[in-house]
């Protein structure tokens, strides 16, 4: 049977028979530790928890064995997690950021995505549960700087039929690249809203073109990114959550084509199906309503939700 675990070398000059005995003992010991640790979670009240924790232990033990992790490296890892805990607050979660830059958040998106719908993408740290409901067709710009963008679309089912009573939860960063949580000059409700779509699943709003921004780099995750010589930027994006009764909710992002970092998003959130063209719009009625000059910029995107009964 192949040895799955790293086996320390025997002491120099030790008799061959002694080294072989040492090898065998270490093999059994490693295997037994893993099995015992997995088994220790088997009686969890929640069977799903038992399954997930068992798999987590299995793969973490395999990582320790395959990487030949030293005690010094293990202690360094514990110090990293301690630093992440110390900088985490209600407003800033370093573990969420760690999940993002490790690609874990995107992996959860990918494996939990029901087939047939619009691709999901990362939630990010700036979603606000308390965004106000505003009228369909509202103006979020309110005189602030930024290139105006008419964002419109529909919410459809997998058969491309409109979904009535869908809701859009929208948020993005301002022209300075910052979200309200990062910028005391911004109203907490700036460039964010909820919109109830009409009976045809249609929504639209006037906003500004979003900008690329860096993830927070003043904590241990920032130090990890620097030590890894990694990009710290995200491409420009609109955040959107789409929900409707009877359908699987969708957390996603739209990425204007041509933005920097589309091919190197530090949180791995870009999906080809979420890159949107920024087009020229000649709609005179919209221009008149918002005091725009034609042509102005428009982004149009239809979201597709999966029926909850099909998953
Ligand atoms: Fe964002």
């Amino acid at each position: 049977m192949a040895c799955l675990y790293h086996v320390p070398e025997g002491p120099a000059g030790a008799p061959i028979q002694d080294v072989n005995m040492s090898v065998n003992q270490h093999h059994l010991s490693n295997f037994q530790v893993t099995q015992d640790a997995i088994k220790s979670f088997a009686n969890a009240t929640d069977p799903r928890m038992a399954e997930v924790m068992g798999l987590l232990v299995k793969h973490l033990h395999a990582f320790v064995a395959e990487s030949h992790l030293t005690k010094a490296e293990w202690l360094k890892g514990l110090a990293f997690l301690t630093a992440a805990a110390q900088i985490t607050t209600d407003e800033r979660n370093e573990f969420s950021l760690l999940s993002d830059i490790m690609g874990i958040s995107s992996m959860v998106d990918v494996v939990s995505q029901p087939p047939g719908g619009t691709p999901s993408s990362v939630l990010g740290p700036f979603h606000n549960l308390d965004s106000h409901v505003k009228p369909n067709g509202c103006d979020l710009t309110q005189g602030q700087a930024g290139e105006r963008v008419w964002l419109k679309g529909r919410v459809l089912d997998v058969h491309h039929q409109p979904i009535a009573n869908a809701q859009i939860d929208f948020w993005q960063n301002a022209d300075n690249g910052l979200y309200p949580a990062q910028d005391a000059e911004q109203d907490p409700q700036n460039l964010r809203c909820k919109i109830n779509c009409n009976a045809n699943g249609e929504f639209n709003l006037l906003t500004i073109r979003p900008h690329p921004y860096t993830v927070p780099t003043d904590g241990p995750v920032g130090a990890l990114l620097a030590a890894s010589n990694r990009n710290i930027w995200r491409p420009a994006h609109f955040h959107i959550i789409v929900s409707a009764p009877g359908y699987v909710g969708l957390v996603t992002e739209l990425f204007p084509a041509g933005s920097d970092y589309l091919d190197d998003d530090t949180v791995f959130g870009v999906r080809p199906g979420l890159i949107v063209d920024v087009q020229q719009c000649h709609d005179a009625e919209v221009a008149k309503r918002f005091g725009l000059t034609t042509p102005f910029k428009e982004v149009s995107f239809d979201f597709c939700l999966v029926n909850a009964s099909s998953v």
Side-chain angles (χ1 to χ4, degrees):
M1 181 181 176
C3 178
L4 297 176
Y5 301 100
H6 169 62
V7 177
E9 303 213 352
I16 292 176
Q17 187 176 354
D18 289 347
V19 171
N20 284 342
M21 185 178 294
S22 172
V23 164
N24 197 37
Q25 287 170 341
H26 276 288
H27 176 85
L28 289 173
S29 177
N30 290 347
F31 180 77
Q32 196 61 52
V33 167
T34 299
Q35 293 306 304
D36 288 349
I38 291 173
K39 201 186 303 180
S40 72
F41 290 101
N43 294 326
T45 303
D46 180 351
R48 174 61 177 165
M49 177 186 164
E51 179 186 15
V52 170
M53 290 307 298
L55 284 169
L56 182 63
V57 166
K58 173 184 169 183
H59 289 280
L60 285 177
H61 283 219
F63 155 72
V64 171
E66 185 177 349
S67 66
H68 302 178
L69 198 70
T70 67
K71 282 205 169 181
E73 291 164 341
W74 170 67
L75 288 170
K76 198 170 180 179
L78 293 185
F80 176 90
L81 294 174
T82 301
Q86 288 169 339
I87 202 170
T88 292
T89 66
D90 287 345
E91 288 77 35
R92 186 256 178 84
N93 190 326
E94 195 75 354
F95 293 99
S96 175
L97 178 60
L98 177 62
S99 169
D100 290 348
I101 67 101
M102 293 289 286
I104 304 298
S105 307
S106 276
M107 274 297 291
V108 173
D109 284 336
V110 170
V111 302
S112 62
Q113 169 93 47
T118 296
S120 61
S121 186
V122 296
L123 175 67
F126 300 115
H127 178 242
N128 187 335
L129 290 170
D130 300 324
S131 284
H132 296 168
V133 177
K134 295 183 179 175
N136 206 346
C138 63
D139 179 2
L140 298 180
T141 65
Q142 302 299 309
Q144 66 193 286
E147 183 179 22
R148 271 42 182 170
V149 176
W150 181 236
L151 176 63
K152 68 175 189 177
R154 296 178 298 169
V155 180
L156 309 175
D157 65 18
V158 294
H159 305 294
H160 305 290
Q161 297 303 305
I163 297 174
N165 302 317
Q167 187 178 70
I168 298 293
D169 187 346
F170 172 89
W171 69 106
Q172 67 162 94
N173 62 0
D175 203 49
N176 61 4
L178 300 176
Y179 288 85
Q182 304 169 295
D183 183 2
E185 299 297 313
Q186 290 185 48
D187 184 289
Q189 293 290 327
N190 191 38
L191 296 172
R192 64 178 64 236
C193 69
K194 293 174 182 168
I195 286 179
N196 294 318
C197 303
N198 67 20
N200 294 320
E202 297 167 325
F203 69 91
N204 45 48
L205 59 89
L206 185 68
T207 187
I208 64 169
R209 184 191 284 268
H211 292 276
Y213 63 87
T214 66
V215 295
T217 57
D218 57 339
V221 171
L224 174 63
L225 290 169
S228 307
N229 296 313
R230 274 185 51 175
N231 167 46
I232 59 174
W233 287 82
R234 295 211 63 206
H237 53 269
F238 300 112
H239 287 279
I240 298 179
I241 297 175
V242 188
S243 57
Y247 292 83
V248 179
L250 172 68
V251 178
T252 193
E253 303 174 284
L254 296 180
F255 300 89
S259 170
D260 291 335
Y261 309 107
L262 278 176
D263 57 353
D264 189 20
D265 181 1
T266 195
V267 304
F268 313 101
V270 178
R271 320 274 181 259
L274 298 176
I275 297 175
V276 292
D277 288 330
V278 181
Q279 299 176 318
Q280 302 279 31
C281 182
H282 297 270
D283 190 321
E285 188 276 327
V286 172
K288 182 179 179 184
R289 196 188 334 160
F290 298 111
L292 304 175
T293 302
T294 56
F296 53 90
K297 295 297 190 295
E298 177 186 281
V299 167
S300 180
F301 190 86
D302 288 344
F303 296 94
C304 182
L305 299 187
V306 175
N307 196 302
S309 65
S310 66
V311 296

